[in-house]
């Protein structure tokens, strides 16, 4: 019997456990630092959990090793993921290519995963914080605050720095560094943008379709069209999220980042309305 220990009980950890348990020779245990698993799932997609996107074109992914991404995001794996959600009993509600559970509630995804974990008799241990992992001759020692756990294989699924309040605070990067993994410095991505200005409170709460253009040092970097949400601190919404990683890297490199918002993207420059604005 192989002892498989998964560190982290988020979406990745739960699905890794489900697949690891398909081998009947594996005994799978999840170590979760929180009092419950899948906390981040509940805040995904504003609580609705957008779990899939029909447009999986490789151009939508950003990586320094796009060949590796192509090996992972292939048609067989895409089909496998959709089959998994179907087997879990998730009925999708599809809006503009975005998949949500038909209930529009992220708890549906969480409960479906945890039900499958229970059905497969996978053990979850909560309130367990892993401090160190050591490779021995043919096994691993996992050091927690209270004990040492032995495992034949270890899967680290602890998340990045994306949401410290859910446990994803990046401190587990240290576990990976001990095994000489190369850690690429993480930057905020798929996030809202804070902007400068005193007018922001006047537009807070407005949602509308726009075209957003990102300029870096006065050079056009990228444009996105879609719904934007105006907030009292800046801008949010899917098109904003798609630009945020570029802004993060630019600011890290001391670049000037400027956002242009076209609130009338459907109008052509030679239209009568545009001429009226010019006048």
């Amino acid at each position: 019997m192989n002892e498989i220990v998964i560190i982290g009980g988020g979406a990745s950890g739960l699905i890794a456990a489900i697949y690891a348990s398909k081998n009947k020779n594996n005994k799978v245990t999840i170590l979760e630092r929180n009092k419950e698993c899948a906390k981040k799932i509940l805040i995904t997609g504003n609580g609705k959990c957008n779990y899939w996107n029909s447009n999986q074109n490789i151009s939508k992914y950003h990586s320094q090793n796009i060949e590796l991404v192509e090996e992972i995001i292939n048609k067989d794996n895409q089909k496998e993921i959709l089959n998994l959600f179907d087997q879990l009993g998730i009925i999708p509600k599809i809006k503009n290519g975005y998949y949500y559970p038909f209930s529009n509630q992220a708890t549906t995804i969480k409960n479906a995963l945890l039900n499958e974990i229970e059905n497969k008799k996978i053990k979850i241990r909560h309130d367990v914080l892993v401090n160190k992992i050591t490779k021995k001759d043919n096994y691993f020692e996992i050091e927690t605050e209270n004990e040492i756990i032995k495992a034949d294989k270890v899967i680290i699924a602890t998340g990045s720095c994306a949401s410290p309040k859910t446990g994803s605070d990046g401190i587990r990067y240290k576990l990976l560094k001990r095994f000489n993994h190369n850690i690429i410095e993480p930057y905020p991505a798929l996030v809202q943008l804070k902007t400068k200005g005193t007018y922001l409170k006047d537009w807070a709460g407005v949602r509308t379709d726009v075209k957003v253009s990102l300029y870096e040092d006065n050079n056009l970097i990228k444009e996105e069209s879609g719904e934007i949400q105006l907030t009292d601190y800046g801008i949010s919404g899917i098109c904003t999220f798609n630009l945020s990683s570029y802004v993060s890297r630019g600011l890290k490199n001391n670049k000037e980042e400027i956002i242009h918002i076209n609130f009338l993207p459907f109008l052509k420059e030679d239209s009568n309305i545009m001429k009226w604005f010019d006048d």
Side-chain angles (χ1 to χ4, degrees):
M1 182 69 70
N2 294 318
E3 292 283 348
I4 312 296
V5 173
I6 298 172
I7 303 172
S12 296
L14 294 176
I15 292 177
I18 290 170
Y19 274 87
S21 69
K22 290 184 177 183
N23 185 333
K24 300 303 181 182
N25 291 322
N26 290 341
K27 179 182 177 183
V28 183
T29 301
I30 298 173
L31 304 181
E32 168 57 42
R33 69 183 295 185
N34 293 308
K35 296 184 181 299
E36 59 179 318
C37 289
K39 290 182 69 175
K40 201 185 301 178
I41 288 178
L42 297 182
I43 60 176
T44 301
N46 288 327
K48 298 180 181 179
C49 194
N50 168 216
Y51 67 89
W52 183 255
N53 189 332
S54 60
N55 186 352
Q56 293 294 322
N57 190 290
I58 203 68
S59 65
K60 303 297 182 181
Y61 293 84
H62 307 278
S63 173
Q64 295 177 348
N65 188 352
I66 200 66
E67 292 79 12
L68 176 61
V69 178
E70 288 177 322
E71 292 180 16
I72 299 171
I73 311 297
N74 58 54
K75 290 185 178 180
D76 289 339
N77 285 344
Q78 292 178 38
K79 184 178 179 180
E80 176 69 23
I81 295 171
L82 288 175
N83 285 341
L84 170 64
F85 282 105
D86 183 58
Q87 293 166 11
L88 292 175
I90 303 297
I91 300 174
K93 177 180 288 186
I94 306 171
K95 180 181 179 182
N96 299 326
Y98 299 109
Y99 282 56
Y100 300 87
F102 200 78
S103 64
N104 265 338
Q105 298 291 325
T107 51
T108 299
I109 302 293
K110 175 184 176 180
N111 291 340
L113 290 172
L114 290 178
N115 285 341
E116 186 68 4
I117 292 292
E118 184 176 358
N119 291 338
K120 290 185 175 295
K121 298 182 176 5
I122 297 169
K123 185 177 181 180
I124 299 178
R125 295 184 57 185
H126 299 99
D127 291 318
V128 177
L129 181 62
V130 174
N131 295 319
K132 184 179 179 181
I133 304 174
T134 304
K135 179 69 169 70
K136 298 296 184 178
D137 292 336
N138 58 353
Y139 66 94
F140 293 89
E141 284 187 349
I142 302 168
E143 183 178 322
T144 73
E145 294 179 316
N146 302 313
E147 61 181 317
I148 292 178
I149 302 170
K150 292 184 179 182
D152 296 295
K153 297 183 184 298
V154 179
I155 297 175
I156 299 178
T158 55
S160 60
C161 308
S163 182
K165 66 180 181 180
T166 65
S168 294
D169 53 12
I171 63 173
R172 297 298 82 113
Y173 284 133
K174 295 179 180 179
L175 299 179
L176 296 171
K177 287 182 178 179
R178 285 181 56 85
F179 292 94
N180 295 320
H181 286 290
N182 178 37
I183 307 298
I184 299 173
E185 184 178 0
Y187 296 103
L190 297 177
V191 295
Q192 311 93 325
L193 294 175
K194 292 184 178 181
T195 60
K196 296 179 180 179
T198 59
Y199 51 84
L200 299 179
K201 291 185 178 180
D202 294 333
W203 74 4
V206 173
R207 291 175 180 263
T208 185
D209 290 329
V210 300
K211 181 168 78 171
V212 183
S213 304
L214 172 63
Y215 288 81
E216 186 174 278
D217 288 346
N218 295 320
N219 296 311
L220 179 62
I221 298 297
K222 191 172 177 58
E223 292 183 321
E224 289 284 339
S225 296
E227 186 181 76
I228 195 173
Q229 180 180 352
L230 307 177
T231 69
D232 58 2
Y233 57 79
I235 55 177
S236 185
I238 293 175
C239 57
T240 303
F241 296 162
N242 291 341
L243 296 175
S244 60
S245 63
Y246 296 93
V247 175
S248 295
R249 286 193 291 269
L251 293 176
K252 183 70 175 181
N253 293 314
N254 297 316
K255 304 289 187 179
E256 182 184 43
E257 305 294 322
I258 297 177
I259 293 285
H260 288 192
I261 303 174
N262 183 353
F263 287 96
L264 301 172
F266 51 85
L267 293 181
K268 297 181 179 180
E269 291 186 6
D270 60 351
S271 69
N272 290 332
I273 296 180
M274 291 301 290
K275 292 178 179 177
W276 180 80
F277 275 114
D278 289 338
D279 293 339

